[in-house]
């Protein structure tokens, strides 16, 4: 499948948006590990309508004017289990958090907390697939591909309060 990409500036650094004919494939971080999400980003296409719309919606989100996204998503990578976890992320509402244990329960694999954490770390569609809303069971911020400072900024932007953000 042919992908196209464009980059955009954001309060958490430059983001690379990758799309296909059917939807958004990835939002990658400026210094993302190329092994985290293994996809061919394809040629740069700054005016691709779906990528332009994704950028518009992300800018609204960063400006505090958007709580939900409506761009179509195209999960082209990952195992069926990883995709199940990524789809479960979409159900975490704006301004709320869940623990890895909560997410494991939600996907029907309550003992698979570590596997859920690993799948969360491979989420290709950061921000829109809100892996930043998943925190440790103690309430602490845990690993995030974009860095813990970016995770904290996104949670603050959504109005999440807690001791983990105060550090």
């Amino acid at each position: 499948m042919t992908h196209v990409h464009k980059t955009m500036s954001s309060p958490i650094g430059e983001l690379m948006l990758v799309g296909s004919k059917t939807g958004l494939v990835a939002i990658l971080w400026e210094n993302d590990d190329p092994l985290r999400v293994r996809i061919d980003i394809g040629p740069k296409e700054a005016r691709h309508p779906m990528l332009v719309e994704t950028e518009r919606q992300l800018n609204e989100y960063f400006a505090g004017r958007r709580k939900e996204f409506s761009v179509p998503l195209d999960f082209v990578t990952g195992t069926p289990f990883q995709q199940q976890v990524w789809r479960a992320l979409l159900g975490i509402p704006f301004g709320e958090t869940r623990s890895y244990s909560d997410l494991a329960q939600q996907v029907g694999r309550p003992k698979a907390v570590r596997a859920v954490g690993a799948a969360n770390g491979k989420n290709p569609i950061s921000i829109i697939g809100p892996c930043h809303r998943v925190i440790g069971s103690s309430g602490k911020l845990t690993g995030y591909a974009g860095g813990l400072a970016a995770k904290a900024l996104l949670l603050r932007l959504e109005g999440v309060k807690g001791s983990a953000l105060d550090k």
Side-chain angles (χ1 to χ4, degrees):
M1 177 171 290
T2 303
H3 298 137
V4 295
H5 75 276
K6 77 178 301 282
T7 56
M8 68 173 279
S9 296
S10 82
I12 51 177
E14 188 169 277
L15 301 173
M16 180 181 296
L17 313 178
V18 182
S20 69
K21 288 181 181 167
T22 54
L24 183 66
V25 171
I27 298 176
L28 303 174
W29 301 97
E30 191 169 357
N31 297 311
D32 218 328
D33 177 350
L35 300 178
R36 187 181 75 80
V37 176
R38 295 177 185 215
I39 57 167
D40 174 14
I41 62 168
K44 188 168 192 164
E45 196 171 316
R47 292 191 296 243
H48 186 279
M50 193 268 310
L51 297 179
V52 169
E53 177 61 15
T54 299
E55 180 177 20
R56 184 184 73 75
Q57 290 187 26
L58 284 168
N59 282 328
E60 289 175 354
Y61 169 81
F62 291 127
R65 297 190 316 266
R66 176 173 288 274
K67 294 183 179 184
E68 295 179 359
F69 296 92
S70 60
V71 292
L73 306 180
D74 186 8
F75 289 110
V76 297
T77 65
T79 67
F81 175 75
Q82 288 172 326
Q83 290 187 10
Q84 182 184 18
V85 171
W86 300 337
R87 291 186 196 291
L89 292 171
L90 300 172
I92 305 173
F94 179 94
E96 294 185 22
T97 59
R98 299 289 184 272
S99 71
Y100 293 98
S101 179
D102 293 337
L103 207 51
Q105 293 278 349
Q106 185 179 337
V107 299
R109 303 272 305 274
K111 294 183 191 252
V113 176
R114 287 180 186 252
V116 163
N120 197 54
K122 298 265 188 193
N123 173 27
I125 307 177
S126 301
I127 306 165
I128 292 177
C131 46
H132 61 279
R133 296 180 189 153
V134 183
I135 60 175
S137 58
S138 66
K140 288 190 177 184
L141 299 188
T142 55
Y144 189 59
L148 292 182
K151 185 172 189 167
L153 187 145
L154 293 171
L155 292 172
R156 277 194 200 96
L157 178 85
E158 295 185 11
V160 173
K161 305 238 185 293
S163 60
L165 296 176
D166 299 334
K167 296 181 179 162

